[in-house]
């Protein structure tokens, strides 16, 4: 076995890269785990709303000339879209098998992709970074770190804290948790569970779209961009434990670490190069190991 | 009423029975071109550009090739290699096309090459650069009007050495096109006296470049060379600039890096040097005439390198079919006509190599204010080495 070690400063910067990527993953996956865990709905179209968010950010930023306003308007719009979808479609599926949900949300992927093509076309677009975040901080003589990426990390951390606070410490959070653990009981105690579900689904969609919006300046905006994130999002949810926001955060950071260092470390086992050749697999190997060890995920509830 | 219906039914059946031979005879005189291109999915626009270019060339030849009317049979290949064998078999067996034309995706083209070799159908490849198609798997009936992945990458090495860069890092996705481009670049760069410090790859189509950019910064090569296209190319160029590398370690690329995405890359692409067999801004009367005609014929769409490749496919066919007077029955004569054609392309005149891939000039272009400006010819009449081809 042969390792190629990294110099310390490079290692530190790679660690920063890993955390930053992990936090962005958490942001996208949090909405998915919320909807999945609390409502029991598998939303395959989650990635599509990430894409819609990015396209909204692009078109609204062009229109208003300001990414901040674009994000506020975009989040409001995606809340409305989410609520409408829940009311029209998802509502009818709570008592059905997961297979129906998979079918419906897969159909949504196709429809959203086609609508995107009709409304915005198939071109690749770029969203400019807001001026006040456009600077870079020099880290070494050749490398600087874009302030916008650090800002994204900050937003993700703030959002994680806010989500934890709302779910654990507020009355709304309590009703959400009650609805998740026993729908009938919560209903008989006078909680309007239908309304709670409408809100949770809308928030889930808005979180996906919000992630697409703030990621747009660094990821660029292009057709099918949601399909790239949806798979890794499911990996985050599965590793973290279904429905656990804390689990999603830990899993996303783990994936960030494994993905980043899988690409840059060099590892040979018995003369055969393992890394970075197999970097594309590293995340899935991590998932397999976690599932063997804890089939319910890191922070998932054990099946009774 | 009943009798009437029955009589009409019988008449209709009789007519239907009588019809097929008539249709078959009519088809016998028409030249059937089987277009297997992506019309949906990521590469849909490329498929459309290729078809528009091809149809423009046919229209300019008077709507006929070698004196025969042309009939297009279109199949959407969806850039899906899993469906490719079925799709191409349908064109060959059911639709009985005279010439197969396609496609964009290399995996799809490899299936087409296989079927073309098995059924001895004429195949013209208007895009995919997979080396094997005109290399180890070359065949008398297989031609390419675009490029091989090796071709635009090879001259990049010389270009970088001429600008004083002795060491380089190469970065791309880990997939066939990226690795073939890497091989071309490596060959050209080392032959010119350069040294490749490291090759970096990401799994396709991963766009999380940050870790590898950090690595480039710590390796400090004289320059970086890359192969990316589409949305990934936009993100790479922007990330490279955002990491502060643009002004410290010059970035070079195979031309697809800045094709069709320059507006999205914006200022971050300004000054980038790339190599390709075409540039929109090529200053020759042939290109200007082509661009004007294409824009007029295609609803004000601007032609790109893919449109040129489609157009050249049409020019090649027109020339070869004129030579054999539309008669495809003598295969040896048809192949000879295709082999000896000199295509008067918007990219400059070119002809086929022994392996049936264009021998063409590779241009050096600089991205300036949203346009790939031609700086000069990076390599005159470059021929793909076609290793493993026994033609």
């Amino acid at each position: 076995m042969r390792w190629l070690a990294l110099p310390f400063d490079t290692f530190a910067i790679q660690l920063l890269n890993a955390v930053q990527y992990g936090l962005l993953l958490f942001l996208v996956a949090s909405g998915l785990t919320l909807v999945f865990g609390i409502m029991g709905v598998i939303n395959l179209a989650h990635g599509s709303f990430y894409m819609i968010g990015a396209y909204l950010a692009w078109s609204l930023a062009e229109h208003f000339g300001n990414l901040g306003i674009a994000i506020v308007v975009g989040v409001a719009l995606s809340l409305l879209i989410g609520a409408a979808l829940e009311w029209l479609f998802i509502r009818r599926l709570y008592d059905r098998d997961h297979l129906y949900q998979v079918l419906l949300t897969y159909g949504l992927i196709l429809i959203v992709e086609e609508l995107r093509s009709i409304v915005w076309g198939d071109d690749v677009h770029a969203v400019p970074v807001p001026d006040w975040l456009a600077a870079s901080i020099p880290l070494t003589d050749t490398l600087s770190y874009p302030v916008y990426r650090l800002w994204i990390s900050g937003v993700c951390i703030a959002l994680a804290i806010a989500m934890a606070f709302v779910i654990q410490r507020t009355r709304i959070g309590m009703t959400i948790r009650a609805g998740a653990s026993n729908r009938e009981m919560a209903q008989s105690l006078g909680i309007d569970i239908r309304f709670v579900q409408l809100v949770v689904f809308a928030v889930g969609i808005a979180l996906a779209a919000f992630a697409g919006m703030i990621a747009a300046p660094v990821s660029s905006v292009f057709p099918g961009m949601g399909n790239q994130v949806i798979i890794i999002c499911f990996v985050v949810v599965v590793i973290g434990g279904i429905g656990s926001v804390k689990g999603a955060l830990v899993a996303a950071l783990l994936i960030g670490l494994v993905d980043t260092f899988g690409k840059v470390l060099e590892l040979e086992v018995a003369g055969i190069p393992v890394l970075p050749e197999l970097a594309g697999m590293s995340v899935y190997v991590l998932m397999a190991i976690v599932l063997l060890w804890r089939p319910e995920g890191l922070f998932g509830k054990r099946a009774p | 009423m009943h009798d009437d219906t029955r009589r009409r039914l019988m008449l209709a059946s009789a007519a239907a029975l009588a019809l097929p031979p008539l249709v078959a005879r009519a088809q016998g005189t028409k030249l059937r071109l089987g277009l297997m291109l992506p019309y949906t999915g990521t590469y849909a626009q490329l498929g459309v550009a290729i078809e528009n270019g091809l149809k423009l060339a046919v229209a300019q030849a008077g709507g006929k090739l070698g004196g025969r009317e042309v009939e297009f049979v279109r199949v959407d290949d969806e850039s899906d290699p899993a469906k490719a064998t079925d799709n191409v078999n349908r064109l060959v067996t059911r639709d009985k096309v005279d010439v197969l034309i396609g496609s964009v995706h290399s995996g799809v083209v490899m299936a087409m090459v296989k079927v073309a070799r098995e059924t001895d159908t004429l195949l013209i490849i208007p895009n995919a650069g997979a080396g094997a198609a005109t290399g180890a798997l070359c065949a008398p009936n297989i031609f390419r009007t675009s490029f091989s992945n090796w071709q635009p990458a090879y001259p990049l090495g010389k270009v970088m050495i001429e600008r004083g860069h002795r060491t380089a890092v190469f970065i791309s996705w880990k997939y066939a096109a990226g690795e073939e481009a890497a091989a071309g670049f490596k060959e050209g760069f080392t032959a010119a006296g350069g040294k490749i410090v490291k090759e970096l790859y990401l799994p396709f189509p991963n766009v999380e470049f940050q870790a590898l950019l950090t690595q480039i910064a710590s390796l400090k090569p004289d320059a970086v060379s890359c192969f990316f296209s589409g949305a990934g190319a936009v993100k790479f160029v922007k990330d490279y600039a955002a990491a502060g590398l643009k002004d410290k370690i010059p970035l070079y690329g195979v031309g697809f890096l800045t094709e069709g995405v320059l507006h999205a890359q914006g200022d971050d692409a300004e000054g980038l040097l790339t190599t390709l067999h075409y540039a929109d801004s090529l200053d020759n009367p042939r290109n200007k005439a082509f661009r004007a005609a294409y824009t007029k014929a295609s609803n004000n769409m601007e032609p790109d390198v893919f449109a040129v490749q489609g157009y050249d496919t049409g020019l090649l066919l027109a020339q070869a079919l004129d030579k054999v007077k539309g008669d495809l029955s003598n295969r040896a004569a048809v192949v000879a006509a295709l082999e000896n054609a000199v295509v008067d392309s918007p990219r400059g005149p070119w002809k086929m190599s022994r392996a049936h891939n264009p021998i063409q000039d590779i241009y050096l272009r600089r991205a300036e204010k949203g346009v790939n400006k031609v700086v000069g010819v990076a390599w005159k009449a470059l021929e793909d080495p076609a290793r493993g081809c026994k033609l």
Side-chain angles (χ1 to χ4, degrees), chain A residues 45 48-49 51-52 107-117:
Chain A
S48 302
F49 294 100
M51 176 186 74
I52 290 295
L108 276 180
I109 295 183
L110 302 179
I111 292 168
V112 168
E113 198 71 38
E114 206 54 43
L115 284 177
R116 188 265 312 140
S117 176

Side-chain angles (χ1 to χ4, degrees), chain A residues 14 17 126 136 142 144 218 263 266, chain B residues 198 208 210-211 214 217 243 264:
Chain A
Q14 295 293 18
N17 289 332
S136 286
T142 41
S144 353
V218 290
K263 279 180 198 159
E266 287 175 29
Chain B
K198 199 166 186 76
E208 195 48 43
Q210 206 61 28
T214 304

Side-chain angles (χ1 to χ4, degrees), chain A residues 183-204:
Chain A
R183 200 177 293 172
E184 285 80 19
M185 186 59 84
Q187 216 155 7
S188 64
L189 288 174
I191 295 171
D192 185 355
I193 203 76
R194 290 210 142 187
F195 182 70
V196 170
Q197 281 167 332
L198 183 88
V199 169
V200 170
F201 190 79
V203 168

Side-chain angles (χ1 to χ4, degrees), chain B residues 9 17 23 26 33 70-71 87 129 132 134 161 172 186 202 219 226 249 252 273 275 279 295 297 302 318 325 329 350:
Chain B
L9 204 68
L17 279 174
V23 172
L33 299 183
V70 179
E71 186 183 349
N87 282 334
T134 58
I161 292 288
S172 178
K186 207 151 72 174
L202 292 94
L219 287 165
C226 71
I249 305 175
Y252 293 77
L273 287 171
T275 47
T295 310
E302 285 274 321
K325 301 196 169 51
S329 57
W350 60 267

